[in-house]
Amino acid sequence: MEGNLTKGPILKTLTKLAIPIMASSFLGTLYNITDMAWIGQLGSKAVAGVGVGGMYIWLSQGLASMSRMGGQVQVAQYIGRGDWEEAHGYAQAAVQLSLLTGLAFSAMCVIFLHPLVGFFKLTDPEALDAAFSYTRVACGLLVFSFLTLTLTGLYTAQGDSKTPFVANLIGLAINMILDPVLILGLGPFPKLGAVGAAIATVTAQFIVMGIMVLGVVFRKNENVLKGIHLYAKIPSKYLKGICKIGIPTALQGMAYCAISMVLTRMVSAYGAAAVAVQRVGGQIESVSWNTADGFAAALNAFIGQNYGAGKMDRVKKGYRASLWTVGVWGFLITLAFVLLPGPIAKIFFYEPEAISIAVGYLIIIGFCEGFMCEELMTVGALSGLGRTRLCSVISITFTSARIPLAILLGGCMGLTGIWWAFSSTSIAKGIIFVLTFFYITRETKNSAVR
């Protein structure tokens, strides 16, 4: 089967799969940075408003990871065992579940728009208007994003990372064209501001989803997605199998976002510029975490197939190769943030106050980038072994510690203390996750991890 990850040179096999996924993740980073760069020309108030809507998009990705991770791990493991029929069943169930949860989340955002935006207690009218308009459109049509994420995971589980990359590349090109046209109103187009950013993003997501669907329909290669029926009843065994793997991952992602929402509310006490820096800073950081997350997706499929085939030696060697690769990337990002915070901040901000806050944020957060990359990569590895519950417990425990730590350090150091709460917990999680993987796999050879 094309995309068989249980044979061949380990580093070459893993790298061949990882590069398109990392490139796709980097394209996702460019999506976000492109939006924020153009919105930044509207001022920090508009950025803060869009950042609020972005929090709910982030929350949705946690929920979307239930069907994506559950489907990807199960499909990869059954492919590794040579059971194509079961792999197809899990793929169909994952897409159906993704569609249902995407529609439900979109409806919730539209129905409860005002209380959701009101949670952040924005007081500036311009920031509030941007938050309402962006959230209504971007979150109201999130179903396309849900399906795109799940289809990407199912392609990856089969060892095909090129199709999602091509789809995301085309989507990025469209997004980059539409952003200035719709946000700033170039040529005959009216200036739509935050709404324009939302329309550009949703349009790109729809096109990416469409390309991956067409890839299933028209390509002759064997694909577990061929012949799926969206309106068929989901068999309970597939639903349980996906939820067993996917729910801990979803809880982890949604808890992480919910904690960040609480922290954003704390940051809002320091003004709209501080909120804008936190949200844009997160997008700048995505240069590291999106890339690490992309490598984690490749490692997840690699480990899933080899674990299913009982080849634990390949699992360990693949993890060690990934550990070094991702670690080097994180170290380079640390150098960039710590040594060049001013030039980076000036790309996204124009007001002196916002630039000053952003410089402090980048320096402090910069110290944790390598550790954060190792954390994300290891979560992908452990999830490939089916240990998503363990990942959830570790992540939620240490991420939750940010709240009391931010209260303590914020009381002593102000906004800087909150930034240190983010950075120190990321460092701790990176160390603990790596040690956990080595502990779990320490005595295994070619047997399953219990």
Side-chain angles (χ1 to χ4, degrees):
M1 183 194 74
E2 183 180 359
N4 188 336
L5 308 177
T6 63
K7 300 178 180 179
I10 291 175
L11 184 58
K12 181 179 179 181
T13 300
L14 187 56
T15 302
K16 183 179 179 181
L17 179 64
I19 288 177
I21 299 176
M22 293 171 67
S24 294
S25 296
F26 185 68
L27 292 178
T29 300
L30 290 180
Y31 269 125
N32 299 327
I33 290 178
T34 298
D35 282 344
M36 287 299 178
W38 288 112
I39 293 169
Q41 297 193 30
L42 302 177
S44 60
K45 294 177 182 179
V47 173
V50 171
V52 167
M55 292 297 293
Y56 290 108
I57 293 176
W58 184 11
L59 181 65
S60 78
Q61 290 177 340
L63 179 59
S65 67
M66 177 175 67
S67 52
R68 173 184 177 162
M69 183 61 72
Q72 179 172 327
V73 171
Q74 294 286 9
V75 168
Q77 290 189 3
Y78 276 102
I79 287 176
R81 293 169 191 157
D83 193 337
W84 191 262
E85 184 177 348
E86 287 292 284
H88 172 77
Y90 275 109
Q92 175 171 299
V95 173
Q96 290 175 289
L97 188 59
S98 179
L99 178 62
L100 291 173
T101 52
L103 289 172
F105 192 92
S106 296
M108 182 200 73
C109 288
V110 173
I111 295 170
F112 300 104
L113 177 64
H114 283 78
L116 289 174
V117 172
F119 172 81
F120 293 95
K121 295 187 177 298
L122 292 176
T123 56
D124 184 86
E126 183 180 343
L128 268 174
D129 181 64
F132 281 124
S133 57
Y134 182 85
T135 306
R136 183 181 293 109
V137 176
C139 294
L141 294 171
L142 272 171
V143 65
F144 303 134
S145 176
F146 272 63
L147 289 168
T148 295
L149 288 170
T150 299
L151 290 172
T152 298
L154 296 174
Y155 268 102
T156 303
Q158 302 171 78
D160 179 4
S161 55
K162 293 180 181 178
T163 301
F165 168 70
V166 171
N168 279 286
L169 181 62
I170 295 172
L172 172 65
I174 292 170
N175 191 62
M176 293 184 73
I177 294 170
L178 291 179
D179 262 344
V181 170
L182 298 179
I183 293 172
L184 303 178
L186 300 182
F189 295 91
K191 181 179 179 179
L192 298 178
V195 175
I199 294 172
T201 298
V202 169
T203 302
Q205 289 170 348
F206 174 77
I207 290 172
V208 172
M209 180 197 71
I211 292 171
M212 282 195 276
V213 170
L214 291 175
V216 176
V217 174
F218 292 110
R219 291 184 66 179
K220 296 181 180 180
N221 294 356
E222 195 172 14
N223 192 310
V224 294
L225 290 162
K226 281 188 179 293
I228 66 172
H229 301 285
L230 288 178
Y231 302 106
K233 181 180 178 181
I234 304 177
S236 60
K237 72 170 183 175
Y238 295 137
L239 185 60
K240 289 178 181 177
I242 289 173
C243 289
K244 180 182 178 181
I245 299 293
I247 285 179
T249 302
L251 291 176
Q252 176 184 333
M254 296 179 76
Y256 190 88
C257 181
I259 292 164
S260 295
M261 287 181 174
V262 174
L263 292 168
T264 299
R265 188 170 178 175
M266 294 171 62
V267 170
S268 68
Y270 295 89
V275 175
V277 166
Q278 185 194 358
R279 297 308 309 136
V280 173
Q283 303 299 344
I284 298 172
E285 269 193 280
S286 64
V287 171
S288 58
W289 63 254
N290 250 353
T291 303
D293 203 36
F295 207 97
L299 186 61
N300 178 274
F302 177 87
I303 287 180
Q305 285 196 21
N306 284 283
Y307 174 68
K311 298 185 177 182
M312 285 304 299
D313 284 341
R314 286 176 65 83
V315 167
K316 292 180 181 181
K317 291 176 182 177
Y319 177 79
R320 291 192 189 98
S322 303
L323 190 68
W324 283 102
T325 303
V326 171
V328 169
W329 175 253
F331 177 71
L332 293 175
I333 299 300
T334 290
L335 289 179
F337 283 12
V338 173
L339 300 180
L340 301 169
I344 295 173
K346 290 177 182 178
I347 296 174
F348 302 94
F349 296 103
Y350 301 92
E351 301 98 328
E353 179 190 7
I355 293 173
S356 176
I357 295 172
V359 167
Y361 176 92
L362 289 170
I363 292 174
I364 294 170
I365 291 297
F367 288 107
C368 76
E369 294 304 298
F371 297 95
M372 181 180 64
C373 287
E374 301 291 19
E375 172 203 346
L376 292 171
M377 184 272 298
T378 306
V379 168
L382 288 170
S383 298
L385 298 173
R387 303 301 289 265
T388 54
R389 185 181 301 176
L390 176 62
C391 294
S392 180
V393 170
I394 296 173
S395 182
I396 291 175
T397 299
F398 282 89
T399 306
S400 298
R402 288 182 174 180
I403 295 176
L405 195 58
I407 293 172
L408 176 64
L409 296 179
C412 302
M413 305 166 65
L415 191 58
T416 299
I418 297 177
W419 301 154
W420 274 116
F422 292 172
S423 188
S424 60
T425 51
S426 288
I427 292 172
K429 286 192 293 180
I431 295 171
I432 289 170
F433 268 112
V434 171
L435 293 177
T436 298
F437 184 89
F438 282 120
Y439 177 79
I440 286 176
T441 59
R442 71 194 186 287
E443 295 178 349
T444 60
K445 291 184 179 180
N446 288 318
S447 58
V449 178
R450 299 295 180 186

